Amino acid sequence: MTAVSCCEYRILDKDPVAEAVADNYRTYYEIFIGGFSDSNKDGLGDINGVISRLDYLNDGNPNSGKSLGVEGIWLMPVMPSPSYHKYDITDYYSIDPGYGTMADFEKLVAECNKRDIRLIIDLVLNHTSERHSWFISARNAIKEGNLEDKYAKYYTKKTRKIPGRTWYKFEKTPNGTQYYYEANFSPCMPELDLDNHDVRHEITDIVKFWLGKGIGGFRLDAVKYFHYGEDLRNIQFLKWLNGECRKVKDDVYIVAENWSPAVSIQNYYEAVNCFDFGMSGTEGDIYNTVQGDNSVTEFLQRLALYQRHILQKNSRAILNPFISNHDMDRAADFLDVDEYAMQMAANLYILSSGCPFIYYGEEIGMKGSNDSAPTDANRRLAMLWDDGDTVRDPAGSSYDRARQANGSVKSQLSQKNSLFVHYKNLIMLRRANPEIARGLIEPLDFSQYTAFGGFVSDYNGSKAAVFHNTGENEITVDLAGYTDVEFSEVRGYAGKGRSGLCGSILSLSGYTSVVIK
Ligand code: CA
Ligand code: CA
């Protein structure tokens, strides 16, 4: 520990100003449309509901201070589907009628583009719905023994069940042969044969269709199941898919769900960007750091190593950190807002490299978990607007609303220290300092502290530094003992307290992070 002399801290006296940087490094917001906002008062969230909430998400002016400020939206599946979550698609070329029309979707794209919000949509290619016309044709063809039928070849099928995957019976052929189709998620979700020539043509048409609507890219569902257990084949397929997309849109943003250990995720970066699952949930690095189970320096060193690994795989690789998504318990269920655990978790991943993904409602500390009932519907509850929005919780949910203790959007918009305001300031701070998202992370060695650490991020020769104090006590350090970089300005801080810089001496309150230059 370095002894420091006292001096008067020069603390932040004005907000930094954010400039627009039009590239792929953005803060995203994941939306389950059915649970977000209901425009026609039938209880189901819809696309016009999302449009009506764009000013809440991003009003187009990064310095207005009036909206959350996200620069990208990930929409969970928009295509027609019999399920509430819509991960089993019956038609890849239209909008689920409960959500609205293609004209509504086109209007949403136009509104997002006006505000420089990059819209990406969920693309489910591993499987279709059993009610998709392709599978209905396939099932009929196999029943008739017509194995040469075009659609019979669209799906993964075998005459014996390969262990480690899940298989269901087709009706036997007229000569008595039993075929099984692969369906790892549910018998209603038969899996496509992604090596089939005609399926590949369909996929090319599908991505052309949606990119042609003006969207910015895709979130790819369940990529490790494409050829289950065969990462190399999956990566080959993803490289092909990335190429097909880039023929249409060179700066397409693709982020894949490969819910696997970090070493597997890193390999997939060779083809596409991936969610960094190792950061998320109650086993993840962010939670462990906020809880003090590993130090901030360990967290940053691991992150820096991870970043170098993915950049070795692909020089265009971009990190995609998050703390929770629609398949996990909500972050406020395991991170306390009143004790600033939630705020510090947000600081760790939003003041970080790449594209952080915020799950809708996270910014107001919405809760929802399947601890009382084993259903993901409890993790996808209706957004707590409390302003007359008629959106209802999804079918099958059973979460006790009395557990929602952190308040609604309406209440948090007007509170100075609400979690919403914290997220808003954090996103603003990140945006006003483009080095944070785009630079190479260079952690400083504060390993003698558990709750304090920081890194320098160098972006085209411009250096910014981020410091986190996840503990309750103020920390004062002489940065000259840790880095040769000379800093002159506090760019902003986010958390419970404040921060000051006097020469090379940095002070940082408990439960607070700071950006300096
Ligand atoms: Ca509706
Ligand atoms: Ca598959």
Side-chain angles (χ1 to χ4, degrees), residues 38-46 98:
D38 176 26
S39 71
N40 60 352
K41 307 213 182 300
D42 63 359
L44 180 67
D46 46 56

Side-chain angles (χ1 to χ4, degrees), residues 126 156 182 184 191-192 225-228:
N126 178 61
T156 314
E182 185 181 7
N184 291 300
E191 302 204 9
L192 287 164
Y225 291 91
F226 284 0
H227 299 280
Y228 189 70

Side-chain angles (χ1 to χ4, degrees), residues 184-247:
N184 291 300
F185 291 95
S186 143
C188 310
M189 300 180 177
E191 302 204 9
L192 287 164
D193 178 356
L194 297 176
D195 279 346
N196 177 278
H197 188 72
D198 292 321
V199 170
R200 293 258 182 140
H201 273 296
E202 300 273 12
I203 291 170
T204 300
D205 289 347
I206 291 164
V207 299
K208 272 189 194 162
F209 176 83
W210 290 100
L211 291 173
K213 294 285 175 197
I215 65 166
F218 301 103
R219 178 265 184 186
L220 300 177
D221 185 55
V223 302
K224 80 171 173 187
Y225 291 91
F226 284 0
H227 299 280
Y228 189 70
E230 298 181 65
D231 282 356
L232 288 179
R233 283 180 80 191
N234 291 340
I235 292 164
Q236 271 172 9
F237 172 82
L238 289 167
K239 278 186 183 169
W240 170 81
L241 179 64
N242 187 36
E244 292 302 287
C245 291
R246 288 187 58 188
K247 280 182 204 165

Side-chain angles (χ1 to χ4, degrees), residues 24-96:
N24 267 333
Y25 292 85
R26 288 161 183 263
T27 302
Y28 277 85
Y29 190 84
E30 176 189 1
I31 295 178
F32 165 48
I33 297 173
F36 196 60
S37 182
D38 176 26
S39 71
N40 60 352
K41 307 213 182 300
D42 63 359
L44 180 67
D46 46 56
I47 289 169
N48 281 323
V50 176
I51 294 171
S52 76
R53 299 297 183 173
L54 286 178
D55 277 352
Y56 168 77
L57 297 173
N58 182 339
D59 63 6
N61 176 1
N63 297 302
S64 74
K66 288 183 179 157
S67 52
L68 184 59
V70 294
E71 304 143 306
I73 292 173
W74 155 26
L75 294 178
M76 284 166 61
V78 298
M79 301 164 202
S81 163
S83 64
Y84 83 87
H85 52 68
K86 312 214 178 294
Y87 278 97
D88 45 343
I89 287 161
T90 55
D91 174 5
Y92 284 95
Y93 297 97
S94 44
I95 299 293
D96 189 276

Side-chain angles (χ1 to χ4, degrees), residues 32 46-47 61 64-65 115 135 166 208 216 221 233 254 265 275 298 311 338 361 391 430 441 490 494 499 506 511:
F32 165 48
D46 46 56
I47 289 169
N61 176 1
S64 74
R115 297 157 196 258
F135 191 69
T166 311
K208 272 189 194 162
D221 185 55
R233 283 180 80 191
I254 301 177
I265 296 173
F275 288 111
E298 284 173 296
L311 287 170
D338 293 335
V391 65
R430 178 190 143 92
I441 299 166
V490 171
S499 181
L506 177 75
Y511 306 130

